[in-house]
Amino acid sequence: MGGLRRRTSALAVVITGTLALSACATVGLAAVPPAPEGMIPVIRMPSEASGSVQGLVNYNVLSTNPTVRTWLYEPLMIRDEFSCEAVPWLATGYEWETPSRMRLDLREGVEWTDGEPFTADDVAFAFTVAQEYPAADRAGVWTDLFGAPAESVEVVDEHTVAVNFTGNAVPKTDSILSIQIVPEHVWSQVGDPTQYIDTEPVSTGPFVPEDYNGRQLTLQRNDTYWNAENLKVERVILEGQYDANSGALKLRNGALDLYLGDIPNPERSVARSGVEYYYPPGGTTVLALNMERPITGDVGFRTAIAHAIDREALALRASFGIMDPGSQTMLKLPIQADQVPEQWAGQEFTSFDPALAEQMLDEAGYAKGEDGWRTAPDGSQLDLIFSVQAGWMDYIAMADVVVRGLNDVGVRAKMVTTDPNAVDGMKKSGEFDMLMDSIGGGCQRARDLGGRLTTSQISDGGETLLLNIARYANPQVDQLVDEWAANTDPAQDPAYLSRIVDIYMQEMPYIALQYSPARLIYREDNAVGWPSEDNPYPTNNLLRVVTSLSLPGGGEAE
């Protein structure tokens, strides 16, 4: 089944359930005006504002808690987390002319909701205002975070902008593409943009505010939207914030069409009530072993114990079998199967083979004594501590399976749960044997995969938690990642990826356990075309999801 699970129900059950829910779905829900023919009348979902600010209206996406984050101000491009292609949005393309100069080509024909044209001045303003007010620099454009800081911005022509950096800034690509663009002709008059109370938004997005009563926000379709052809939703209603139990209840009774929160076992809690779910892999939960300690730093030890872990049992315990064991390539399979380096095709997953683990431990010098426990090659006793965040039940379930597997092959290890902040402190200081971490499935792979292996990303015990939790160190890999981070030719990326995957597969500084989910739980009463196993596309950007929906029986899904 791969990493994608989806409920399948008998047609008769669906019909019966739909009829029953159609009746109860209207109970307690505010009626909406009729939608034009072919349009979805409304999609209901939880509020994007935190509970602490509901009641106040502020659409400023640069504020701490905006009333809505997604639907008014749009990004330049959207990264497809499956294919890693950049999907055109307000920008139609980009190019790194050199590692220190990025050119952005902007979409023509876009209008702000006040009728003014969207131009290069708006995009240039998004960069320069972040220079003047550093708190607005959410992408780190003017800092040395993941690449050199910017030094200037050029309006090349009405639909082209170039940004110049002091050095290699290619790792900033996705942060730049995700900047939400605000209108220069309005926001240049407001002073500090992070303090601006935006009650009458001028935006380019698919919806505009229609009504807000302090608790419920209704957004209406933007009739002048540049992508109106693909926008089939007339209204979006956002209301409330729900924990897993409340979210499941709202989905079951039809009060919500969409929920993105953590419902651990959707098969049991919602799928029997006409609710669909799609949990594609969003990243990989890994066992991070401390490279600076003699036992966990021994590649022979690491590659041996990787075969002692029963990942099927681990996934069943931690995610009720919804998620699959993770690939040691750190790629999201089977979605990214076409990106697996040729030399690892067919070997993407580490087998559960205790006999092989024991053989490899013997060959690496970890002898088993008469008491059944192994000793290190120098004769010292093995006694590893697996530090796990207290209260993180999925992590605790996974750790329990890992410890049992290690003990079964004679490696003495025990789980110790502790405050999550203390675990973060261990990551910063390097005072640990083993702990769990998550390797993101992003497409800035020089950073997301390479950064996990470079010495520049090893925390020094200070306040900043960097990426290289395992504290892996190899000067050749440092050089390789530096070269990859400066690469401006996408055609060269597979070759770099291949060499980095070799490290993960052969040296195992991080041992893959289970995929972490990118959740999307939804109903199809009002709309179809949601991401699913039959219609796979990423769940991480709702702008793309909503512009892929259509009326049941009346439109085509993406």
PDB file of all heavy atoms in Angstrom, residues 505-540:
ATOM      1  N   MET A 505      22.423   5.782   3.494  1.00  0.00           N
ATOM      2  CA  MET A 505      22.248   4.332   3.336  1.00  0.00           C
ATOM      3  C   MET A 505      23.430   3.548   3.904  1.00  0.00           C
ATOM      4  O   MET A 505      23.253   2.488   4.510  1.00  0.00           O
ATOM      5  CB  MET A 505      22.079   3.990   1.851  1.00  0.00           C
ATOM      6  CG  MET A 505      20.822   4.543   1.209  1.00  0.00           C
ATOM      7  SD  MET A 505      19.299   3.797   1.848  1.00  0.00           S
ATOM      8  CE  MET A 505      19.422   2.125   1.227  1.00  0.00           C
ATOM      9  N   GLN A 506      24.630   4.039   3.728  1.00  0.00           N
ATOM     10  CA  GLN A 506      25.820   3.264   4.098  1.00  0.00           C
ATOM     11  C   GLN A 506      26.303   3.536   5.519  1.00  0.00           C
ATOM     12  O   GLN A 506      26.816   2.636   6.176  1.00  0.00           O
ATOM     13  CB  GLN A 506      26.956   3.569   3.107  1.00  0.00           C
ATOM     14  CG  GLN A 506      26.641   3.106   1.690  1.00  0.00           C
ATOM     15  CD  GLN A 506      27.666   3.584   0.675  1.00  0.00           C
ATOM     16  OE1 GLN A 506      28.294   4.626   0.850  1.00  0.00           O
ATOM     17  NE2 GLN A 506      27.838   2.837  -0.399  1.00  0.00           N
ATOM     18  N   GLU A 507      26.143   4.763   5.995  1.00  0.00           N
ATOM     19  CA  GLU A 507      26.688   5.113   7.311  1.00  0.00           C
ATOM     20  C   GLU A 507      25.618   5.266   8.386  1.00  0.00           C
ATOM     21  O   GLU A 507      25.929   5.233   9.579  1.00  0.00           O
ATOM     22  CB  GLU A 507      27.528   6.390   7.202  1.00  0.00           C
ATOM     23  CG  GLU A 507      28.703   6.242   6.241  1.00  0.00           C
ATOM     24  CD  GLU A 507      29.657   7.415   6.326  1.00  0.00           C
ATOM     25  OE1 GLU A 507      29.863   7.934   7.435  1.00  0.00           O
ATOM     26  OE2 GLU A 507      30.190   7.812   5.271  1.00  0.00           O
ATOM     27  N   MET A 508      24.396   5.478   7.984  1.00  0.00           N
ATOM     28  CA  MET A 508      23.246   5.521   8.888  1.00  0.00           C
ATOM     29  C   MET A 508      23.460   6.394  10.119  1.00  0.00           C
ATOM     30  O   MET A 508      23.285   5.940  11.263  1.00  0.00           O
ATOM     31  CB  MET A 508      22.860   4.100   9.315  1.00  0.00           C
ATOM     32  CG  MET A 508      22.367   3.248   8.171  1.00  0.00           C
ATOM     33  SD  MET A 508      21.658   1.687   8.727  1.00  0.00           S
ATOM     34  CE  MET A 508      21.004   1.050   7.194  1.00  0.00           C
ATOM     35  N   PRO A 509      23.812   7.643   9.949  1.00  0.00           N
ATOM     36  CA  PRO A 509      23.848   8.525  11.120  1.00  0.00           C
ATOM     37  C   PRO A 509      22.455   8.742  11.698  1.00  0.00           C
ATOM     38  O   PRO A 509      22.316   9.066  12.887  1.00  0.00           O
ATOM     39  CB  PRO A 509      24.443   9.816  10.565  1.00  0.00           C
ATOM     40  CG  PRO A 509      24.143   9.767   9.101  1.00  0.00           C
ATOM     41  CD  PRO A 509      24.167   8.334   8.712  1.00  0.00           C
ATOM     42  N   TYR A 510      21.470   8.587  10.851  1.00  0.00           N
ATOM     43  CA  TYR A 510      20.066   8.626  11.267  1.00  0.00           C
ATOM     44  C   TYR A 510      19.421   7.348  10.719  1.00  0.00           C
ATOM     45  O   TYR A 510      19.570   7.037   9.539  1.00  0.00           O
ATOM     46  CB  TYR A 510      19.338   9.842  10.694  1.00  0.00           C
ATOM     47  CG  TYR A 510      19.991  11.166  11.030  1.00  0.00           C
ATOM     48  CD1 TYR A 510      20.977  11.708  10.198  1.00  0.00           C
ATOM     49  CD2 TYR A 510      19.627  11.877  12.175  1.00  0.00           C
ATOM     50  CE1 TYR A 510      21.582  12.910  10.504  1.00  0.00           C
ATOM     51  CE2 TYR A 510      20.234  13.086  12.483  1.00  0.00           C
ATOM     52  CZ  TYR A 510      21.216  13.600  11.650  1.00  0.00           C
ATOM     53  OH  TYR A 510      21.815  14.796  11.948  1.00  0.00           O
ATOM     54  N   ILE A 511      18.722   6.619  11.582  1.00  0.00           N
ATOM     55  CA  ILE A 511      18.078   5.382  11.157  1.00  0.00           C
ATOM     56  C   ILE A 511      16.587   5.659  10.990  1.00  0.00           C
ATOM     57  O   ILE A 511      15.907   6.052  11.945  1.00  0.00           O
ATOM     58  CB  ILE A 511      18.317   4.262  12.185  1.00  0.00           C
ATOM     59  CG1 ILE A 511      19.811   3.946  12.265  1.00  0.00           C
ATOM     60  CG2 ILE A 511      17.528   3.018  11.807  1.00  0.00           C
ATOM     61  CD1 ILE A 511      20.170   2.912  13.325  1.00  0.00           C
ATOM     62  N   ALA A 512      16.086   5.474   9.775  1.00  0.00           N
ATOM     63  CA  ALA A 512      14.680   5.756   9.488  1.00  0.00           C
ATOM     64  C   ALA A 512      13.782   4.807  10.270  1.00  0.00           C
ATOM     65  O   ALA A 512      14.032   3.599  10.328  1.00  0.00           O
ATOM     66  CB  ALA A 512      14.422   5.628   7.991  1.00  0.00           C
ATOM     67  N   LEU A 513      12.706   5.366  10.854  1.00  0.00           N
ATOM     68  CA  LEU A 513      11.746   4.555  11.593  1.00  0.00           C
ATOM     69  C   LEU A 513      10.404   4.527  10.871  1.00  0.00           C
ATOM     70  O   LEU A 513       9.989   3.498  10.371  1.00  0.00           O
ATOM     71  CB  LEU A 513      11.578   5.116  13.013  1.00  0.00           C
ATOM     72  CG  LEU A 513      12.857   5.122  13.876  1.00  0.00           C
ATOM     73  CD1 LEU A 513      12.579   5.768  15.224  1.00  0.00           C
ATOM     74  CD2 LEU A 513      13.404   3.715  14.051  1.00  0.00           C
ATOM     75  N   GLN A 514       9.741   5.661  10.829  1.00  0.00           N
ATOM     76  CA  GLN A 514       8.387   5.714  10.259  1.00  0.00           C
ATOM     77  C   GLN A 514       8.179   7.059   9.591  1.00  0.00           C
ATOM     78  O   GLN A 514       8.756   8.073  10.010  1.00  0.00           O
ATOM     79  CB  GLN A 514       7.357   5.542  11.388  1.00  0.00           C
ATOM     80  CG  GLN A 514       5.916   5.677  10.946  1.00  0.00           C
ATOM     81  CD  GLN A 514       4.956   5.832  12.115  1.00  0.00           C
ATOM     82  OE1 GLN A 514       4.304   4.876  12.502  1.00  0.00           O
ATOM     83  NE2 GLN A 514       4.868   7.023  12.680  1.00  0.00           N
ATOM     84  N   TYR A 515       7.354   7.085   8.547  1.00  0.00           N
ATOM     85  CA  TYR A 515       6.991   8.362   7.943  1.00  0.00           C
ATOM     86  C   TYR A 515       6.073   9.137   8.880  1.00  0.00           C
ATOM     87  O   TYR A 515       5.207   8.565   9.537  1.00  0.00           O
ATOM     88  CB  TYR A 515       6.289   8.155   6.606  1.00  0.00           C
ATOM     89  CG  TYR A 515       7.221   7.772   5.477  1.00  0.00           C
ATOM     90  CD1 TYR A 515       7.017   6.612   4.749  1.00  0.00           C
ATOM     91  CD2 TYR A 515       8.297   8.575   5.150  1.00  0.00           C
ATOM     92  CE1 TYR A 515       7.880   6.261   3.719  1.00  0.00           C
ATOM     93  CE2 TYR A 515       9.166   8.236   4.130  1.00  0.00           C
ATOM     94  CZ  TYR A 515       8.949   7.080   3.414  1.00  0.00           C
ATOM     95  OH  TYR A 515       9.807   6.746   2.417  1.00  0.00           O
ATOM     96  N   SER A 516       6.265  10.440   8.905  1.00  0.00           N
ATOM     97  CA  SER A 516       5.338  11.312   9.623  1.00  0.00           C
ATOM     98  C   SER A 516       4.312  11.828   8.616  1.00  0.00           C
ATOM     99  O   SER A 516       4.632  12.028   7.445  1.00  0.00           O
ATOM    100  CB  SER A 516       6.092  12.467  10.279  1.00  0.00           C
ATOM    101  OG  SER A 516       6.903  13.142   9.329  1.00  0.00           O
ATOM    102  N   PRO A 517       3.072  12.050   9.067  1.00  0.00           N
ATOM    103  CA  PRO A 517       2.009  12.358   8.097  1.00  0.00           C
ATOM    104  C   PRO A 517       1.877  13.837   7.768  1.00  0.00           C
ATOM    105  O   PRO A 517       2.158  14.700   8.593  1.00  0.00           O
ATOM    106  CB  PRO A 517       0.751  11.869   8.833  1.00  0.00           C
ATOM    107  CG  PRO A 517       1.073  12.073  10.278  1.00  0.00           C
ATOM    108  CD  PRO A 517       2.553  11.825  10.422  1.00  0.00           C
ATOM    109  N   ALA A 518       1.438  14.117   6.540  1.00  0.00           N
ATOM    110  CA  ALA A 518       0.981  15.450   6.130  1.00  0.00           C
ATOM    111  C   ALA A 518      -0.535  15.326   5.987  1.00  0.00           C
ATOM    112  O   ALA A 518      -1.041  15.025   4.924  1.00  0.00           O
ATOM    113  CB  ALA A 518       1.632  15.875   4.819  1.00  0.00           C
ATOM    114  N   ARG A 519      -1.246  15.548   7.082  1.00  0.00           N
ATOM    115  CA  ARG A 519      -2.654  15.145   7.184  1.00  0.00           C
ATOM    116  C   ARG A 519      -3.611  16.032   6.404  1.00  0.00           C
ATOM    117  O   ARG A 519      -3.441  17.244   6.353  1.00  0.00           O
ATOM    118  CB  ARG A 519      -3.095  15.165   8.650  1.00  0.00           C
ATOM    119  CG  ARG A 519      -2.259  14.343   9.582  1.00  0.00           C
ATOM    120  CD  ARG A 519      -2.758  14.484  10.990  1.00  0.00           C
ATOM    121  NE  ARG A 519      -1.864  13.844  11.925  1.00  0.00           N
ATOM    122  CZ  ARG A 519      -0.794  14.435  12.449  1.00  0.00           C
ATOM    123  NH1 ARG A 519      -0.530  15.677  12.134  1.00  0.00           N
ATOM    124  NH2 ARG A 519      -0.026  13.795  13.296  1.00  0.00           N
ATOM    125  N   LEU A 520      -4.657  15.391   5.880  1.00  0.00           N
ATOM    126  CA  LEU A 520      -5.794  16.103   5.321  1.00  0.00           C
ATOM    127  C   LEU A 520      -7.009  15.187   5.478  1.00  0.00           C
ATOM    128  O   LEU A 520      -7.009  14.069   4.965  1.00  0.00           O
ATOM    129  CB  LEU A 520      -5.577  16.451   3.850  1.00  0.00           C
ATOM    130  CG  LEU A 520      -6.605  17.432   3.286  1.00  0.00           C
ATOM    131  CD1 LEU A 520      -5.910  18.731   2.885  1.00  0.00           C
ATOM    132  CD2 LEU A 520      -7.305  16.860   2.083  1.00  0.00           C
ATOM    133  N   ILE A 521      -8.000  15.673   6.216  1.00  0.00           N
ATOM    134  CA  ILE A 521      -9.208  14.882   6.487  1.00  0.00           C
ATOM    135  C   ILE A 521     -10.397  15.694   5.985  1.00  0.00           C
ATOM    136  O   ILE A 521     -10.513  16.880   6.295  1.00  0.00           O
ATOM    137  CB  ILE A 521      -9.332  14.602   8.002  1.00  0.00           C
ATOM    138  CG1 ILE A 521      -7.996  14.087   8.552  1.00  0.00           C
ATOM    139  CG2 ILE A 521     -10.431  13.584   8.275  1.00  0.00           C
ATOM    140  CD1 ILE A 521      -7.899  14.122  10.052  1.00  0.00           C
ATOM    141  N   TYR A 522     -11.277  15.082   5.238  1.00  0.00           N
ATOM    142  CA  TYR A 522     -12.262  15.885   4.523  1.00  0.00           C
ATOM    143  C   TYR A 522     -13.543  15.107   4.247  1.00  0.00           C
ATOM    144  O   TYR A 522     -13.579  13.870   4.312  1.00  0.00           O
ATOM    145  CB  TYR A 522     -11.668  16.362   3.196  1.00  0.00           C
ATOM    146  CG  TYR A 522     -11.188  15.234   2.301  1.00  0.00           C
ATOM    147  CD1 TYR A 522     -12.015  14.676   1.330  1.00  0.00           C
ATOM    148  CD2 TYR A 522      -9.899  14.727   2.444  1.00  0.00           C
ATOM    149  CE1 TYR A 522     -11.573  13.642   0.524  1.00  0.00           C
ATOM    150  CE2 TYR A 522      -9.443  13.690   1.645  1.00  0.00           C
ATOM    151  CZ  TYR A 522     -10.290  13.148   0.682  1.00  0.00           C
ATOM    152  OH  TYR A 522      -9.854  12.106  -0.108  1.00  0.00           O
ATOM    153  N   ARG A 523     -14.578  15.848   3.902  1.00  0.00           N
ATOM    154  CA  ARG A 523     -15.831  15.270   3.446  1.00  0.00           C
ATOM    155  C   ARG A 523     -16.023  15.602   1.964  1.00  0.00           C
ATOM    156  O   ARG A 523     -15.521  16.611   1.476  1.00  0.00           O
ATOM    157  CB  ARG A 523     -17.012  15.830   4.241  1.00  0.00           C
ATOM    158  CG  ARG A 523     -16.986  15.549   5.741  1.00  0.00           C
ATOM    159  CD  ARG A 523     -18.306  15.964   6.375  1.00  0.00           C
ATOM    160  NE  ARG A 523     -19.399  15.202   5.828  1.00  0.00           N
ATOM    161  CZ  ARG A 523     -19.841  14.046   6.330  1.00  0.00           C
ATOM    162  NH1 ARG A 523     -19.272  13.561   7.431  1.00  0.00           N
ATOM    163  NH2 ARG A 523     -20.831  13.389   5.777  1.00  0.00           N
ATOM    164  N   GLU A 524     -16.784  14.778   1.282  1.00  0.00           N
ATOM    165  CA  GLU A 524     -17.040  15.007  -0.137  1.00  0.00           C
ATOM    166  C   GLU A 524     -18.495  15.364  -0.410  1.00  0.00           C
ATOM    167  O   GLU A 524     -18.932  15.304  -1.553  1.00  0.00           O
ATOM    168  CB  GLU A 524     -16.624  13.783  -0.950  1.00  0.00           C
ATOM    169  CG  GLU A 524     -15.108  13.555  -0.936  1.00  0.00           C
ATOM    170  CD  GLU A 524     -14.669  12.459  -1.881  1.00  0.00           C
ATOM    171  OE1 GLU A 524     -15.369  11.417  -1.914  1.00  0.00           O
ATOM    172  OE2 GLU A 524     -13.660  12.650  -2.579  1.00  0.00           O
ATOM    173  N   ASP A 525     -19.229  15.740   0.642  1.00  0.00           N
ATOM    174  CA  ASP A 525     -20.619  16.131   0.435  1.00  0.00           C
ATOM    175  C   ASP A 525     -20.725  17.374  -0.432  1.00  0.00           C
ATOM    176  O   ASP A 525     -21.584  17.473  -1.307  1.00  0.00           O
ATOM    177  CB  ASP A 525     -21.299  16.426   1.782  1.00  0.00           C
ATOM    178  CG  ASP A 525     -21.120  15.302   2.770  1.00  0.00           C
ATOM    179  OD1 ASP A 525     -20.072  15.283   3.438  1.00  0.00           O
ATOM    180  OD2 ASP A 525     -22.015  14.442   2.842  1.00  0.00           O
ATOM    181  N   ASN A 526     -19.841  18.339  -0.166  1.00  0.00           N
ATOM    182  CA  ASN A 526     -19.925  19.635  -0.843  1.00  0.00           C
ATOM    183  C   ASN A 526     -18.911  19.816  -1.960  1.00  0.00           C
ATOM    184  O   ASN A 526     -19.090  20.688  -2.810  1.00  0.00           O
ATOM    185  CB  ASN A 526     -19.728  20.758   0.191  1.00  0.00           C
ATOM    186  CG  ASN A 526     -20.838  20.776   1.225  1.00  0.00           C
ATOM    187  OD1 ASN A 526     -22.004  20.530   0.904  1.00  0.00           O
ATOM    188  ND2 ASN A 526     -20.484  21.038   2.472  1.00  0.00           N
ATOM    189  N   ALA A 527     -17.809  19.066  -1.908  1.00  0.00           N
ATOM    190  CA  ALA A 527     -16.747  19.283  -2.896  1.00  0.00           C
ATOM    191  C   ALA A 527     -15.983  17.995  -3.139  1.00  0.00           C
ATOM    192  O   ALA A 527     -15.810  17.176  -2.226  1.00  0.00           O
ATOM    193  CB  ALA A 527     -15.787  20.369  -2.409  1.00  0.00           C
ATOM    194  N   VAL A 528     -15.497  17.829  -4.346  1.00  0.00           N
ATOM    195  CA  VAL A 528     -14.626  16.702  -4.695  1.00  0.00           C
ATOM    196  C   VAL A 528     -13.366  17.272  -5.333  1.00  0.00           C
ATOM    197  O   VAL A 528     -13.306  18.448  -5.691  1.00  0.00           O
ATOM    198  CB  VAL A 528     -15.321  15.715  -5.658  1.00  0.00           C
ATOM    199  CG1 VAL A 528     -16.512  15.064  -4.998  1.00  0.00           C
ATOM    200  CG2 VAL A 528     -15.751  16.431  -6.947  1.00  0.00           C
ATOM    201  N   GLY A 529     -12.373  16.390  -5.465  1.00  0.00           N
ATOM    202  CA  GLY A 529     -11.098  16.836  -6.014  1.00  0.00           C
ATOM    203  C   GLY A 529     -10.034  17.003  -4.953  1.00  0.00           C
ATOM    204  O   GLY A 529      -8.940  17.497  -5.239  1.00  0.00           O
ATOM    205  N   TRP A 530     -10.335  16.602  -3.709  1.00  0.00           N
ATOM    206  CA  TRP A 530      -9.350  16.669  -2.638  1.00  0.00           C
ATOM    207  C   TRP A 530      -8.173  15.737  -2.956  1.00  0.00           C
ATOM    208  O   TRP A 530      -8.327  14.744  -3.661  1.00  0.00           O
ATOM    209  CB  TRP A 530      -9.979  16.219  -1.313  1.00  0.00           C
ATOM    210  CG  TRP A 530     -11.180  16.989  -0.877  1.00  0.00           C
ATOM    211  CD1 TRP A 530     -12.484  16.654  -1.102  1.00  0.00           C
ATOM    212  CD2 TRP A 530     -11.207  18.220  -0.145  1.00  0.00           C
ATOM    213  NE1 TRP A 530     -13.325  17.595  -0.560  1.00  0.00           N
ATOM    214  CE2 TRP A 530     -12.569  18.573   0.046  1.00  0.00           C
ATOM    215  CE3 TRP A 530     -10.222  19.051   0.371  1.00  0.00           C
ATOM    216  CZ2 TRP A 530     -12.965  19.719   0.728  1.00  0.00           C
ATOM    217  CZ3 TRP A 530     -10.613  20.199   1.058  1.00  0.00           C
ATOM    218  CH2 TRP A 530     -11.967  20.526   1.231  1.00  0.00           C
ATOM    219  N   PRO A 531      -6.992  16.016  -2.399  1.00  0.00           N
ATOM    220  CA  PRO A 531      -5.882  15.066  -2.572  1.00  0.00           C
ATOM    221  C   PRO A 531      -6.263  13.708  -1.984  1.00  0.00           C
ATOM    222  O   PRO A 531      -6.890  13.628  -0.929  1.00  0.00           O
ATOM    223  CB  PRO A 531      -4.748  15.701  -1.769  1.00  0.00           C
ATOM    224  CG  PRO A 531      -5.114  17.132  -1.595  1.00  0.00           C
ATOM    225  CD  PRO A 531      -6.613  17.176  -1.588  1.00  0.00           C
ATOM    226  N   SER A 532      -5.895  12.670  -2.660  1.00  0.00           N
ATOM    227  CA  SER A 532      -6.221  11.322  -2.200  1.00  0.00           C
ATOM    228  C   SER A 532      -5.235  10.353  -2.841  1.00  0.00           C
ATOM    229  O   SER A 532      -4.427  10.741  -3.694  1.00  0.00           O
ATOM    230  CB  SER A 532      -7.653  10.942  -2.598  1.00  0.00           C
ATOM    231  OG  SER A 532      -7.746  10.802  -4.014  1.00  0.00           O
ATOM    232  N   GLU A 533      -5.340   9.107  -2.445  1.00  0.00           N
ATOM    233  CA  GLU A 533      -4.465   8.108  -3.053  1.00  0.00           C
ATOM    234  C   GLU A 533      -4.753   7.965  -4.542  1.00  0.00           C
ATOM    235  O   GLU A 533      -3.841   7.721  -5.335  1.00  0.00           O
ATOM    236  CB  GLU A 533      -4.656   6.756  -2.356  1.00  0.00           C
ATOM    237  CG  GLU A 533      -3.628   5.725  -2.763  1.00  0.00           C
ATOM    238  CD  GLU A 533      -3.708   4.464  -1.938  1.00  0.00           C
ATOM    239  OE1 GLU A 533      -4.590   4.382  -1.069  1.00  0.00           O
ATOM    240  OE2 GLU A 533      -2.894   3.567  -2.178  1.00  0.00           O
ATOM    241  N   ASP A 534      -6.010   8.156  -4.934  1.00  0.00           N
ATOM    242  CA  ASP A 534      -6.360   8.069  -6.352  1.00  0.00           C
ATOM    243  C   ASP A 534      -6.058   9.363  -7.103  1.00  0.00           C
ATOM    244  O   ASP A 534      -5.980   9.370  -8.332  1.00  0.00           O
ATOM    245  CB  ASP A 534      -7.849   7.733  -6.499  1.00  0.00           C
ATOM    246  CG  ASP A 534      -8.171   6.354  -5.951  1.00  0.00           C
ATOM    247  OD1 ASP A 534      -7.283   5.477  -5.973  1.00  0.00           O
ATOM    248  OD2 ASP A 534      -9.309   6.159  -5.476  1.00  0.00           O
ATOM    249  N   ASN A 535      -5.970  10.456  -6.385  1.00  0.00           N
ATOM    250  CA  ASN A 535      -5.735  11.769  -6.978  1.00  0.00           C
ATOM    251  C   ASN A 535      -4.638  12.467  -6.172  1.00  0.00           C
ATOM    252  O   ASN A 535      -4.861  13.457  -5.490  1.00  0.00           O
ATOM    253  CB  ASN A 535      -7.040  12.581  -6.947  1.00  0.00           C
ATOM    254  CG  ASN A 535      -6.879  13.983  -7.518  1.00  0.00           C
ATOM    255  OD1 ASN A 535      -6.114  14.189  -8.457  1.00  0.00           O
ATOM    256  ND2 ASN A 535      -7.573  14.945  -6.941  1.00  0.00           N
ATOM    257  N   PRO A 536      -3.406  11.917  -6.227  1.00  0.00           N
ATOM    258  CA  PRO A 536      -2.376  12.404  -5.308  1.00  0.00           C
ATOM    259  C   PRO A 536      -1.779  13.745  -5.707  1.00  0.00           C
ATOM    260  O   PRO A 536      -1.329  13.924  -6.825  1.00  0.00           O
ATOM    261  CB  PRO A 536      -1.323  11.286  -5.372  1.00  0.00           C
ATOM    262  CG  PRO A 536      -1.482  10.688  -6.726  1.00  0.00           C
ATOM    263  CD  PRO A 536      -2.944  10.795  -7.062  1.00  0.00           C
ATOM    264  N   TYR A 537      -1.823  14.671  -4.803  1.00  0.00           N
ATOM    265  CA  TYR A 537      -1.043  15.897  -4.893  1.00  0.00           C
ATOM    266  C   TYR A 537      -0.847  16.402  -3.468  1.00  0.00           C
ATOM    267  O   TYR A 537      -1.554  15.972  -2.558  1.00  0.00           O
ATOM    268  CB  TYR A 537      -1.678  16.933  -5.823  1.00  0.00           C
ATOM    269  CG  TYR A 537      -3.029  17.472  -5.442  1.00  0.00           C
ATOM    270  CD1 TYR A 537      -3.161  18.672  -4.748  1.00  0.00           C
ATOM    271  CD2 TYR A 537      -4.203  16.804  -5.800  1.00  0.00           C
ATOM    272  CE1 TYR A 537      -4.399  19.193  -4.430  1.00  0.00           C
ATOM    273  CE2 TYR A 537      -5.450  17.312  -5.475  1.00  0.00           C
ATOM    274  CZ  TYR A 537      -5.542  18.511  -4.782  1.00  0.00           C
ATOM    275  OH  TYR A 537      -6.775  19.021  -4.458  1.00  0.00           O
ATOM    276  N   PRO A 538       0.115  17.282  -3.245  1.00  0.00           N
ATOM    277  CA  PRO A 538       0.467  17.646  -1.866  1.00  0.00           C
ATOM    278  C   PRO A 538      -0.674  18.314  -1.099  1.00  0.00           C
ATOM    279  O   PRO A 538      -1.486  19.040  -1.669  1.00  0.00           O
ATOM    280  CB  PRO A 538       1.652  18.604  -2.046  1.00  0.00           C
ATOM    281  CG  PRO A 538       2.240  18.222  -3.360  1.00  0.00           C
ATOM    282  CD  PRO A 538       1.069  17.848  -4.213  1.00  0.00           C
ATOM    283  N   THR A 539      -0.673  18.066   0.202  1.00  0.00           N
ATOM    284  CA  THR A 539      -1.709  18.608   1.073  1.00  0.00           C
ATOM    285  C   THR A 539      -1.269  19.887   1.769  1.00  0.00           C
ATOM    286  O   THR A 539      -2.048  20.487   2.494  1.00  0.00           O
ATOM    287  CB  THR A 539      -2.046  17.580   2.171  1.00  0.00           C
ATOM    288  OG1 THR A 539      -0.862  17.347   2.959  1.00  0.00           O
ATOM    289  CG2 THR A 539      -2.498  16.263   1.580  1.00  0.00           C
ATOM    290  N   ASN A 540      -0.021  20.294   1.572  1.00  0.00           N
ATOM    291  CA  ASN A 540       0.547  21.323   2.436  1.00  0.00           C
ATOM    292  C   ASN A 540       0.198  22.740   2.027  1.00  0.00           C
ATOM    293  O   ASN A 540       0.549  23.671   2.735  1.00  0.00           O
ATOM    294  CB  ASN A 540       2.079  21.188   2.474  1.00  0.00           C
ATOM    295  CG  ASN A 540       2.707  21.459   1.120  1.00  0.00           C
ATOM    296  OD1 ASN A 540       2.237  20.979   0.099  1.00  0.00           O
ATOM    297  ND2 ASN A 540       3.759  22.255   1.106  1.00  0.00           N
TER     298      ASN A 540
END
